[in-house]
């Protein structure tokens, strides 16, 4: 590992420059030509390391980039999954060109903050705290550049990877990977491996190197309350025409208590208990609750008496948004006849999106509502009285590799070689990605996030603290180098 | 009255044409030049009847048009208040030019409806059911044209008004008459009268000729719940960061029960009981509840066991709109940190907007919230935990002329001469206008609405059923002709 560190310190300028160049190729996931141009740039990056590459075509025209680096004599295979697309950037809201990365000494905070940039140091002596700003510097072109640098570092040290490496880089991850299921089926043999490393995301809020063995599933749905065929004048019909806004308020209040408990019958029934090793891992994760509360002005957590890590291992019921009538300058004196709430439910191991939605529907009916999958006609309103349209948007289950599985232990042991401080080992992360797709084709999931927690991913002024880029080189080198004694 | 009817039947074409011409002058209340042009057109309409006119200038440049027609020997004076401005029209949503009025045989209904127009009959034989479509045909240029035709009809019959007439036409009624208070003060002497007739609005839903002796007040406010300084990721912080959306739902549910009862302490305390004559009047108003429910798909009224007329004599608490986070295509997986509800409260006699708002604030505090008049800082969020910004938008009290007052009896007697069916006498109407301004300068309020209930005022395809235009001529003639024996 000492040699790896020396290499990446000596070549820091080159590593940063390769990331700057890659970020310089705009990668708006909605623009096919941009994604195709990126796929060619990425292919060149892999081929510079003599990785055999191929583009897996998709129905949307945005290919997945595949790479293969077989090691003679290796008895195990690691598939690394990442992505090279980015969410759209609104340049007007950024303090620099999203596709012309710049360096700053820190992340400016507050309305009076100084957003001036600094030049790239000619002698390659970067400060670990400096940050690079640009779209996808943290989500997730950084991971790709770090793993390439790790290969370079191994080779410079005269070392070989200890395992076969397969790379799969998605060009539509930000659109929930619509073509990934077909690709995983079509290239099932080619993609076979003993473990899948998902290389994206943010480390634990403590900033410590992090590895995750699960990721939550999600159910997204919306519901709309209907009380009449049109909005009615609040002067002529107030207290007479039922208000969709108030009825929705009562319905939402019936679903979740103010102390955070979800009141829907059966909501928690399928939650599998944590194993001893998972409980032990959770207890070792640094507490960040107080820091988060201070930073975001949260006097009391919604759920008191449970740590954030415990909560992440439970399902959530979140209202993402509510719309009814008009407010502010647009307000007019009507009784809203519809009111919509949009939800996301984070699912943990063993829960099923459709069974959870059925529990929600049963709860609504228990409150006296008729549940439909469409807007009611006038006749249906007259017949049923209180009508809700309940509509599933999308969903997928959680993914989880047991901490007791041999592959989990091997990954932790490998990564521990690269770090001086204790790893944060998370039984699951709080977010959701359809990593179940990999699980379904027999690839156990491991998440290796390599960005700083405050990287502003998906929004303006996305940034990467350089320390995270450099440490990722060490982590990937340790993962690649570690010899896998037989298939897991 | 027979002579009046004969006149307006013989001159129907001329009356409709004068309204068509007046509507042809665009009157978007936001466009000063349009309002000024209308004020000149209106002045000409008055002067054609030898009414002495004057423009009362205002700070916004949109004048009030004043007219005076004194009757030698008259001992009483009637002030007629109306308006000539209109809300903006969106031509793309109309089926004809809002400022190029057209005639149709009926109000088309439903997506397949036939919107074809008919020509103006050359022989002036209009069908009472036909409708004229255009901006302000019903709100309220029709009232102005009808009262002018009433004067013409009286004169053609060789009759004089029995009282002095003063006319005051507002050019900014649709913006809540910002300059009216100043004008009423400045021209207090000139505007003195024994009664004020407000000539706009819609008749009772039964379609019967209607007179109103009160109008509700209103309080408009909004409240915003704050739970943290920014929206947080629902995967990383779900069940930990409090949700503004759920907290608002609980707060709203605490304010009004599903059966329509307002649960805010003191909300109903200031409601004055109805007098015997008011109760009698209410009982004589035709029931429209079943028709309204069928028409708008309302299976059960919000408040059961009370007639619509009883409800109109009580205050309401209405949520006009709710906004929190994002829904539908815009939805994203965040925990909303703010949630806003916008309210209108209809006030009845004796209630005060500020005392009502204070009761709302006290209720919110009782639920454990800290009430501020601005958004909280991070420090305030940390100190108080649950913070609401409560913000008054505007408000004014109700206006009410007692049914037992002599002026009320005289107006009813006058109007009854013009109608074959029983008048609908409403102690108050459900809507709200700042008619308290007139009450404050000693002018008792009487409302004489002259449009059909389904006239689409304030929206697309505003229309007037001709029967209402012609009958308004009779009603104004009866009002003007009636001799007032001494000041009331």
């Amino acid at each position: 590992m000492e040699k790896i560190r020396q290499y990446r310190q000596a070549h820091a300028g080159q590593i940063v420059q390769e990331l700057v160049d890659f970020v310089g190729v705009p990668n708006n996931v909605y623009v096919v030509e941009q994604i195709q141009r990126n796929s060619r740039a990425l292919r060149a990056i892999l081929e510079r390391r003599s990785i055999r590459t191929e583009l897996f075509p998709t129905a949307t025209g945005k290919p997945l980039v595949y790479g293969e680096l077989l090691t003679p004599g290796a008895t195990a295979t690691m598939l690394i999954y990442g992505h090279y697309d980015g969410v759209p950037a609104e340049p007007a809201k950024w303090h620099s060109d999203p596709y012309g990365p710049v360096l700053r000494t820190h992340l400016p905070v507050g309305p009076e903050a100084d957003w001036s940039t600094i030049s790239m140091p000619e002698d390659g002596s970067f400060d670990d705290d400096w940050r690079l700003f640009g779209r996808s510097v943290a989500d997730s072109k950084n991971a790709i550049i770090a793993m390439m640098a790790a290969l370079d570092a191994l080779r410079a040290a005269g070392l070989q990877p200890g395992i076969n490496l397969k790379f799969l880089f998605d060009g539509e991850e930000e659109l929930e990977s619509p073509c990934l299921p077909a690709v995983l089926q079509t290239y099932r043999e080619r993609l076979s491996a003993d473990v899948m490393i998902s290389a994206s995301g943010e480390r634990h809020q403590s900033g410590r190197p992090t590895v995750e063995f699960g990721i939550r599933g999600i159910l997204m749905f919306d519901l709309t309350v209907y009380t009449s065929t049109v909005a009615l004048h609040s002067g002529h019909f107030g207290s007479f025409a039922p208000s969709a806004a108030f009825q929705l308020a009562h319905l939402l209040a019936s679903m979740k208590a103010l102390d955070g408990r979800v009141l829907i019958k059966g909501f928690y029934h399928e939650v599998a208990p944590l194993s001893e090793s998972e409980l032990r891992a959770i207890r070792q994760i640094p507490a960040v609750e107080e820091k988060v509360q201070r930073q975001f002005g949260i006097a009391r957590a919604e759920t008191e008496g449970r740590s954030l890590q415990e909560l992440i291992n439970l399902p959530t019921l979140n209202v993402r948004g509510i719309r009814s009538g008009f407010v502010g300058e647009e307000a007019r004196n009507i009784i809203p006849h519809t009111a919509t709430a949009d939800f996301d439910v984070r699912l943990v191991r063993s829960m099923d999106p459709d069974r959870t939605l059925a529990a929600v529907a049963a709860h609504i009916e228990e409150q006296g509502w008729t549940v439909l999958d469409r807007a009611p006609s006038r006749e249906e309103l007259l017949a049923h009285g209180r009508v809700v349209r309940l509509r599933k948007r999308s969903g997928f289950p959680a993914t989880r590799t047991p901490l007791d599985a041999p592959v989990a232990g091997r990954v932790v042991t490998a990564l521990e070689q690269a770090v001086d401080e204790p790893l944060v080992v998370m039984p699951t992360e709080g977010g959701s990605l359809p990593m179940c797709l990999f699980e379904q084709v027999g690839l156990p999931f491991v998440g290796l996030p390599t960005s700083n927690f405050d990287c502003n991913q998906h929004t303006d002024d996305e940034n990467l603290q350089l320390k995270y880029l450099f440490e990722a080189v060490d982590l990937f080198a340790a993962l690649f180098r570690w010899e896998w004694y037989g298939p897991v």
Side-chain angles (χ1 to χ4, degrees), chain A:
Chain A
M1 286 313 301
E2 199 40 50
K3 286 183 184 166
I4 302 295
R5 286 205 184 97
Q6 281 167 9
Y7 174 89
R8 56 99 164 147
Q9 278 159 3
H11 295 80
Q14 194 178 312
I15 296 168
V16 172
Q17 191 58 49
E18 192 170 21
L19 178 55
V20 165
D21 293 342
F22 193 18
V23 171
V25 187
N27 65 343
N28 181 341
V29 66
Y30 290 97
V31 183
V32 178
E33 297 69 27
Q34 288 189 10
I35 296 303
Q36 290 179 344
R37 198 174 147 215
N38 266 269
S39 71
R40 292 191 295 270
L42 175 52
R43 210 171 168 177
I45 289 169
L46 299 181
E47 288 180 348
R48 276 206 286 280
R49 277 80 187 186
S50 310
I51 298 168
R52 208 179 56 72
T53 67
E54 187 175 339
L55 296 187
F56 290 164
T58 65
T60 56
K62 292 175 256 186
L64 282 94
V65 177
Y66 175 69
E68 208 173 87
L69 187 67
L70 304 183
T71 303
T75 55
T77 302
M78 175 183 286
L79 174 68
I80 296 129
Y81 171 74
H83 71 95
Y84 63 91
D85 59 320
V87 297
E90 295 179 77
K93 295 188 175 173
W94 285 60
H95 290 84
S96 56
D97 179 0
Y99 303 115
V102 299
L103 211 54
R104 293 190 175 93
T105 54
H106 62 289
L107 174 62
V109 172
E112 304 287 304
D114 176 11
W115 285 89
S116 56
T117 63
I118 52 173
S119 336
M120 295 282 163
E122 285 185 25
D123 62 354
S125 63
F126 291 84
D127 189 307
D128 268 5
D129 288 337
W130 291 354
R131 296 187 184 221
L132 193 66
F133 287 75
R135 173 58 79 225
S136 297
V137 290
D139 178 29
S140 296
K141 286 181 170 177
N142 57 321
I144 296 174
I145 298 304
M147 62 186 84
M148 293 301 115
L151 276 180
D152 297 342
L154 283 174
R155 285 166 178 168
L159 298 170
Q160 282 277 338
I163 48 172
N164 297 315
L165 292 174
K166 295 176 176 177
F167 301 92
L168 183 66
F169 297 119
D170 202 325
E172 283 182 294
E173 195 262 2
E174 300 296 2
L175 297 180
E176 297 184 5
S177 307
C179 303
L180 182 59
V183 163
L184 291 181
Q185 289 303 328
T186 308
Y187 302 94
R188 190 165 182 159
E189 291 301 310
R190 299 276 293 287
L191 295 170
S192 69
D194 300 285
V195 63
M196 189 281 278
I197 305 285
S198 170
S200 77
E202 301 158 354
R203 286 191 192 172
H204 182 258
Q205 295 98 322
S206 62
R208 298 229 301 249
T210 304
V211 60
E212 303 154 347
F213 289 94
I215 189 156
R216 288 201 279 193
I218 198 165
L219 162 67
M220 288 179 274
F221 68 93
D222 60 26
L223 67 81
T224 300
V225 161
Y226 293 85
T227 52
S228 55
T229 55
V230 293
L232 289 166
H233 190 284
S234 66
H236 299 146
F237 297 110
S239 302
F240 182 79
S243 159
F246 268 112
Q247 298 219 353
L248 178 66
H250 280 275
L251 183 56
L252 294 181
S254 78
M255 296 171 98
K256 190 171 174 179
L258 274 174
D259 67 4
R261 264 175 316 121
V262 176
L263 305 172
I264 294 166
K265 211 175 286 172
F267 188 79
Y268 297 107
H269 281 183
E270 301 189 308
V271 177
L274 297 174
S275 68
E276 262 313 302
S277 51
E278 287 167 336
L279 285 169
R280 208 164 41 240
I282 286 174
R283 280 193 293 268
Q284 284 169 2
I285 296 173
V288 295
E289 286 79 355
E290 275 189 39
K291 185 179 147 198
V292 168
Q293 290 188 237
R294 258 199 323 278
Q295 183 172 355
F296 299 118
I298 299 171
R300 276 186 299 279
E302 184 175 78
T303 312
E304 293 189 285
R306 281 188 192 270
S307 73
L308 189 49
Q309 285 306 318
E310 285 178 272
L311 293 173
I312 282 173
N313 281 277
L314 290 170
T316 65
L317 177 76
N318 179 49
V319 170
R320 303 189 290 179
I322 305 180
R323 280 294 176 282
S324 184
F326 303 93
V327 305
E329 294 315 307
E330 291 188 319
R332 50 200 81 170
N333 293 327
I334 50 100
I335 304 164
H337 68 301
T338 67
T340 297
D342 207 310
F343 291 77
D344 72 87
V345 175
R346 302 287 174 167
L347 305 170
V348 296
R349 180 177 44 182
S350 317
M351 291 176 80
D352 173 77
D354 291 324
R355 285 194 305 268
T356 298
L357 188 62
V360 172
H363 173 86
I364 297 171
E365 284 177 344
E366 254 174 46
Q367 309 297 311
W369 295 83
T370 298
V371 176
L372 299 179
D373 59 359
R374 58 190 150 69
S377 66
R378 188 174 67 103
E379 287 64 35
E380 285 170 327
L381 277 172
L382 287 170
H384 300 304
R386 300 165 68 193
V387 180
V388 162
R389 179 189 66 187
L390 185 65
R391 204 165 51 161
K392 180 177 171 181
R393 308 298 298 231
S394 65
F396 50 80
T399 306
R400 194 86 160 232
T401 300
L403 280 193
D404 302 323
V407 67
R410 290 182 187 194
V411 165
V412 169
T413 309
L415 292 174
E416 278 175 342
Q417 296 178 59
V419 295
D420 297 327
E421 45 189 340
L423 270 183
V424 173
V425 177
M426 296 178 69
T428 187
E429 78 138 302
S432 306
L433 282 175
M435 293 297 111
C436 51
L437 294 172
F438 292 95
E439 206 175 54
Q440 283 156 9
V441 294
L443 292 164
F445 167 86
V446 177
L448 184 64
T450 56
S451 301
N452 38 298
F453 173 67
D454 54 358
C455 67
N456 289 347
Q457 73 162 335
H458 291 196
T459 180
D460 318 315
D461 296 318
E462 179 176 345
N463 68 87
L464 177 72
Q465 193 177 340
L466 293 185
K467 162 184 145 87
Y468 290 76
L469 178 64
F470 300 140
E471 290 183 1
V473 177
D474 304 347
L475 290 163
F476 282 113
L479 256 194
F480 295 167
R481 174 64 192 145
W482 199 71
E483 284 176 35
W484 293 68
Y485 299 101
V488 288

